[in-house]
């Protein structure tokens, strides 16, 4: 039988989405500045409740959490709208989104977050407030030398599989953060943050929410 050449047509095939819904967007810079400003006022250390090997991690007060939650809630709703759009209509209607934890991370030279998931919650998020130029330059330099080490970068991991040119599965997604970038994801999604060597401070704000 003579083989037939098949013309690529995206309307004539489908594929199944696989794994957690990892969502990336950008928030209003004024909102980032507000969250960062209040973060600089935080005094309560939060290290003991976190996996990170980072000295300066502080919890936001209840009153400030309420203000920030009100401003971030539209982005959480945006996440679930996007999830429904791309993963189908099987997800139940969201009635309530509760902010459980909120903390700010001042990551310094040689500090890092090991592979981990978050606690008793349904979803987690991270917002980037300040990414110094020194760390960006270090990241670019490292990326040109190796495909694995990403100074100051975040990596999300899911499932099993070989990461080679012929792999039929994608098990990691790596990102170098930008200011105002926001990730929202299921709390069970494993992730890690690589250390950097620059004398600089990388600032991010993380939190956990419960959805019902």
């Amino acid at each position: 039988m003579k083989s037939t050449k098949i013309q690529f047509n995206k309307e004539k095939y489908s594929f199944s989405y696989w794994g957690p819904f990892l969502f990336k967007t950008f928030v209003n810079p004024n909102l980032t500045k507000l969250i960062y400003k209040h973060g600089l006022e935080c005094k309560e250390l939060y290290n003991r409740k976190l996996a990170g090997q980072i000295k300066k991690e502080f919890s936001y007060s209840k009153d400030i959490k309420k203000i920030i939650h009100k401003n971030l809630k539209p982005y959480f709703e945006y996440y679930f709208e996007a999830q429904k759009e791309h993963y189908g209509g099987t997800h139940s209607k969201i009635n309530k989104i509760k902010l459980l934890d909120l903390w700010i991370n001042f990551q310094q030279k040689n500090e890092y977050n090991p592979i981990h998931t978050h606690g008793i919650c349904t979803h987690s998020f991270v917002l980037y407030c300040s990414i110094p130029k020194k760390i960006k330059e270090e990241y670019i330099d490292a990326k040109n030398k190796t495909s694995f080490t990403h100074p100051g970068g975040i990596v999300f991991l899911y499932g099993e599989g070989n990461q080679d040119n012929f792999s039929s599965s994608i098990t990691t997604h790596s990102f170098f953060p930008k200011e105002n970038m926001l990730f929202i994801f299921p709390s069970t999604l494993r992730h890690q943050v690589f250390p950097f060597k620059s004398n600089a401070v990388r600032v991010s704000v993380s939190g956990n929410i419960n959805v019902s």
Side-chain angles (χ1 to χ4, degrees):
M1 179 179 176
K2 187 177 180 181
S3 61
T4 303
K5 184 176 181 180
I6 299 176
Q7 184 70 34
F8 174 77
N9 187 332
K10 67 179 181 179
E11 304 298 330
K12 292 188 176 181
Y13 77 93
S14 66
F15 71 96
S16 298
Y17 293 97
W18 205 256
F21 189 64
L22 173 61
F23 176 91
K24 181 186 75 173
T25 189
F26 286 86
V27 306
N28 186 313
N30 290 327
L31 176 55
T32 302
K33 289 178 182 177
L34 175 69
I35 294 172
Y36 189 11
K37 176 186 175 183
H38 286 301
L40 293 172
E41 299 167 354
C42 294
K43 303 297 181 184
E44 183 182 350
L45 280 171
Y46 207 57
N47 308 61
R48 286 185 294 177
K49 295 186 178 182
L50 303 173
Q53 301 301 301
I54 298 173
K55 290 181 180 179
K56 295 183 178 181
E57 295 178 300
F58 302 96
S59 175
Y60 284 80
S61 68
K62 289 183 179 180
D63 291 339
I64 299 303
K65 278 170 59 178
K66 289 179 181 178
I67 295 171
I68 294 174
H69 182 216
K70 181 180 179 180
N71 285 277
L72 281 178
K73 189 178 178 182
Y75 294 95
F76 300 149
E77 294 171 341
Y78 189 21
Y79 170 92
F80 291 105
E81 290 176 8
Q83 183 186 43
K84 184 176 180 180
E85 172 69 22
H86 294 285
Y87 273 41
T90 59
H91 303 281
S92 59
K93 183 180 178 181
I94 302 302
N95 295 313
K96 187 177 181 180
I97 300 174
K98 183 179 181 180
L99 178 61
L100 301 178
D101 311 292
L102 186 69
W103 65 94
I104 188 165
N105 312 284
F106 297 94
Q107 184 184 356
Q108 302 178 76
K109 179 180 178 180
N110 296 325
E111 294 183 333
Y112 65 96
N113 254 308
I115 296 175
H116 67 287
T117 59
H118 285 211
I120 302 175
C121 56
T122 60
H123 295 78
S124 300
F125 63 91
V126 57
L127 169 66
Y128 295 95
C129 300
S130 178
I131 310 295
K133 185 178 179 181
K134 286 183 179 180
I135 302 175
K136 296 176 185 177
E137 292 172 346
E138 182 182 340
Y139 173 82
I140 293 170
D141 183 60
K143 191 176 180 182
N144 290 332
K145 295 176 181 177
T146 175
S147 62
F148 183 74
T149 303
H150 307 286
I154 185 169
V155 180
F156 295 91
L157 310 96
Y158 180 81
E160 301 176 353
N162 296 320
Q163 290 298 295
D164 54 48
N165 292 333
F166 302 98
S167 175
S168 58
S169 63
I170 296 173
T171 59
T172 64
H173 285 289
S174 303
F175 303 90
F176 184 77
K178 298 179 180 179
E179 291 164 4
N180 307 307
M181 183 183 285
L182 173 70
F183 287 101
I184 305 175
F185 50 93
S187 61
T188 53
L189 179 59
R190 293 176 295 144
H191 53 287
Q192 70 180 116
V193 177
F194 285 104
F196 50 84
K197 298 179 181 179
S198 302
N199 288 314
V201 181
R202 172 187 180 275
V203 184
S204 63
V205 171
S206 301
N208 296 319
I209 60 174
N210 253 353
V211 177
S212 59

